[in-house]
Amino acid sequence: MNAYRYENGQVMAGPDCKFAPGCQNVSTQSLAIFNRLGEVQTRIVAVDERMGIVWLRMAWGVRERGGEQLTVWESFKVYDGKIHAVESFMRILPIEKRNGAGSSA
């Protein structure tokens, strides 16, 4: 498989990946980290069926009131029924951003 994944500009999976052993194949990477991140909240931001692009927002890791969360925006390039590319941008954000809104004044 020639699919790749970039996270914050770094190759994290795909043929050119040197991040970790076995990261050269997106489909065989371990998903064990998701067990540690806690409940995930997802939101589909946009889908362009003609261009084969999906944009998704996910937030994990809220385990305490007033805590922080890992928030990820991912775009996927899809064609022939398969994901060929993933590009993501992630940040640790305060809980107030859980639903994508700013904090109230």
Side-chain angles (χ1 to χ4, degrees):
M1 175 175 242
N2 290 326
Y4 67 85
R5 176 183 176 80
Y6 278 85
E7 294 178 7
N8 291 350
Q10 182 178 351
V11 177
M12 299 300 281
D16 296 329
C17 183
K18 295 178 184 22
F19 174 72
C23 69
Q24 293 78 20
N25 189 332
V26 172
S27 64
T28 60
Q29 285 190 303
S30 171
L31 299 177
I33 190 167
F34 294 110
N35 295 329
R36 295 190 316 237
L37 291 176
E39 181 184 345
V40 64
Q41 181 185 54
T42 60
R43 178 176 293 164
I44 297 173
V45 179
V47 175
D48 184 329
E49 292 180 5
R50 185 178 62 82
M51 295 294 294
I53 298 172
V54 177
W55 187 21
L56 184 67
R57 178 188 174 274
M58 295 176 284
W60 285 275
V62 177
R63 294 197 170 110
E64 60 186 64
R65 222 169 252 249
E68 294 180 328
Q69 65 182 359
L70 174 63
T71 302
V72 179
W73 293 266
E74 292 191 313
S75 59
F76 301 86
K77 180 63 177 174
V78 181
Y79 57 91
D80 296 333
K82 296 179 182 176
I83 295 173
H84 291 269
V86 182
E87 298 212 17
S88 69
F89 174 76
M90 56 188 70
R91 286 285 183 256
I92 302 295
L93 294 175
I95 186 65
E96 292 81 27
K97 304 288 184 181
R98 177 100 170 131
N99 293 317
S103 58
S104 57

